[in-house]
Amino acid sequence: MAAVLVLALVCVALVGATLGTGPRLRSATLDSSATTRAGATLRLTLDVPIARPSARQLTISPAIPSSITVSGPVVSIVFAAPLAASTRYTVALDGVVSRYGSPSSSIGYGFTTDAASYWYLDRSGAQDVVYSASLARGKATAEFRAPAIQSFARAASALVVATGRGDTSELQVVDTSTGATESLALPAVGRVDSLAADVTGSQIAVVFTSTETAVSPEYDHELFTVDFTGAGLTPVTGLAGDIDGVDGVQFLAGTSLLAVHQRSGTTSVVDPSGAAPLVPLGQYADWYGASTDGTRIVVADATGPLAIDIATGKQERLPSSPLGGVRPYGGDLVLLRGGVRVQNVAVPDASGTEFDTLVVRDDGTTATPLWTHPPGAGRVLQMSASPNDQYVALEFDPDLTTVTTDGYGVDPLPDDVQTIIIDSATGATQRFAAGSHLQW
């Protein structure tokens, strides 16, 4: 659960003002999750209880959908979408009147949101390193070092890290404030195929395969959640028992639910606690993950990608929009709010014999170039969008003529893998990292 902090602790350049002789502003607080999830709340505490204002009395710049409630002297403004990072916001509430009939006043407040932060893995040195970084500063901070880090996921103030050589893994929890580590028991000897965390870091999902017998493993890409009491992993169950054959898993934004895709094609939404029933969505050959607002899942069949509305089951085809009069061939994509997507596409060049590859922003009607691969080299391995849709991270192999990998038995990558972060609206490069596995 996101902590509620005094606004001055999570934002900079805060300014408050009250005009007139009516109610006056005393203090303000803002959820620390304001740039990572919808539903964050700005609370303005005035000096007297006030009459409920209407939505027309509230102005927010830059504009963002919101709602307003009042409890005594506290005005709560709930943002319907995450705020943009590194952005100055002003909030104005006009015609504020005390319950006791005092003269009206205008309440004004301004704040600047923090820069976006992210974590990534660098396997290039003598030891592997998990780094944290911010778009506001150039230097990353080493959070954990160990040989053979296969993958990691953030869990509140800790990291869950899978390490190991070859086809086996060890799982441990790392306290990033002290460096202390604690082992998590795996159900058998085997490998951690993947890790996934929800946006708050309160839950971690693990896909695990046992390796005692190569022919018929006891656990084959089976889905678990981490039990932080030290009990190890707890299996996630579906309609027919434990869920196995998992080749894609992601927490839905703002929920504790998991979107799951299995090798059989089965796609579903699962509550790891078992409190809510499993929601089957159908059989699909491939999947691209959930939208950043957690309302839709993007899958693919023989015709191409489509988005499934989780609440209604309605399907929407996602054909690539024309680019310069030519319809490109679509590849990997991430679905943002409002149906906008960022997609890796290929377009025939002037000769018609080769293809140019680039990343575009597609609003369903037209495609706009965001980032072009260096001429004659490179490919995007995977993409991920920041929780507020503001940035997209591109994990990138810069040189296809070199086929060497880092040699890991789990999730091997090109030994020169890079990650760049671009603005999802303009394509402007925000940061470059010599690493992979970026998490927001």
Side-chain angles (χ1 to χ4, degrees):
M1 182 177 64
V4 178
L5 304 178
V6 176
L7 187 58
L9 296 180
V10 295
C11 301
V12 296
L14 306 183
V15 178
T18 304
L19 304 177
T21 58
R24 294 179 177 275
L25 181 64
R26 293 301 189 196
S27 63
T29 61
L30 178 68
D31 286 357
S32 60
S33 62
T35 61
T36 59
R37 69 174 181 88
T41 302
L42 170 66
R43 291 180 175 84
L44 304 176
T45 301
L46 310 185
D47 59 350
V48 292
I50 65 168
R52 178 182 174 84
S54 69
R56 294 190 301 272
Q57 293 171 252
L58 175 65
T59 303
I60 303 174
S61 181
I64 183 170
S66 60
S67 60
I68 183 170
T69 60
V70 172
S71 177
V74 179
V75 179
S76 297
I77 300 169
V78 180
F79 302 109
L83 301 181
S86 301
T87 300
R88 174 73 177 179
Y89 284 89
T90 58
V91 177
L93 192 58
D94 296 324
V96 181
V97 179
S98 165
R99 284 183 186 173
Y100 312 118
S102 66
S104 66
S105 61
S106 294
I107 306 298
Y109 209 85
F111 60 92
T112 300
T113 52
D114 281 347
S117 60
Y118 57 96
W119 296 58
Y120 67 96
L121 171 61
D122 183 357
R123 290 176 172 175
S124 63
Q127 282 194 318
D128 297 342
V129 186
V130 176
Y131 287 102
S132 65
S134 165
L135 290 182
R137 64 179 191 269
K139 187 176 181 180
T141 300
E143 300 286 353
F144 179 68
R145 300 175 185 269
I149 298 178
Q150 297 169 344
S151 59
F152 74 94
R154 296 174 57 195
S157 61
L159 295 174
V160 174
V161 183
T163 61
R165 302 288 186 186
D167 202 27
T168 59
S169 304
E170 295 181 357
L171 202 59
Q172 55 189 317
V173 177
V174 182
D175 186 324
T176 55
S177 62
T178 65
T181 62
E182 178 183 353
S183 295
L184 286 172
L186 293 171
V189 175
R191 67 173 182 270
V192 173
D193 298 293
S194 64
L195 295 169
D198 68 2
V199 71
T200 66
S202 60
Q203 289 195 97
I204 303 291
V206 180
V207 178
F208 175 77
T209 297
S210 56
T211 55
E212 304 99 318
T213 58
V215 177
S216 180
E218 180 181 0
Y219 304 97
D220 183 8
H221 289 77
E222 192 156 322
L223 182 61
F224 296 83
T225 55
V226 171
D227 185 332
F228 288 107
T229 65
L233 305 185
T234 302
V236 179
T237 58
L239 296 177
D242 295 347
I243 299 175
D244 60 9
V246 174
D247 60 7
V249 61
Q250 182 179 341
F251 281 98
L252 299 180
T255 76
S256 59
L257 304 177
L258 282 168
V260 180
H261 184 268
Q262 295 169 263
R263 290 193 303 252
S264 63
T266 299
T267 307
S268 55
V269 173
V270 183
D271 183 351
S273 71
L278 180 144
V279 179
L281 296 175
Q283 300 286 124
Y284 301 96
D286 201 0
W287 94 315
Y288 295 96
S291 61
T292 51
D293 61 5
T295 62
R296 292 185 288 177
I297 294 176
V298 182
V299 294
D301 59 14
T303 305
L306 62 156
I308 305 173
D309 187 289
I310 296 170
T312 66
K314 182 179 179 181
Q315 298 181 359
E316 178 189 1
R317 288 286 170 187
L318 301 175
S320 298
S321 298
L323 182 67
V326 178
R327 191 174 296 277
Y329 296 95
D332 193 19
L333 67 89
V334 290
L335 188 61
L336 311 182
R337 290 167 177 79
V340 174
R341 59 188 181 270
V342 175
Q343 187 169 22
N344 194 39
V345 301
V347 182
D349 65 8
S351 69
T353 60
E354 296 184 356
F355 289 88
D356 295 323
T357 54
L358 63 158
V359 175
V360 301
R361 180 183 177 92
D362 191 333
D363 63 6
T365 303
T366 59
T368 304
L370 291 179
W371 184 81
T372 303
H373 296 203
R379 65 188 176 103
V380 173
L381 303 174
Q382 63 178 9
M383 300 188 292
S384 65
S386 62
N388 65 357
D389 292 347
Q390 192 173 359
Y391 307 107
V392 173
L394 309 175
E395 190 173 291
F396 180 66
D397 178 1
D399 186 2
L400 296 182
T401 64
T402 303
V403 295
T404 58
T405 72
D406 54 25
Y408 281 63
V410 179
D411 193 19
L413 291 170
D415 54 14
D416 54 355
V417 64
Q418 303 169 0
T419 298
I420 64 170
I421 298 173
I422 62 172
D423 187 290
S424 67
T426 67
T429 299
Q430 304 296 312
R431 187 71 72 217
F432 165 86
S436 60
H437 294 75
L438 186 139
Q439 297 181 24
W440 298 98

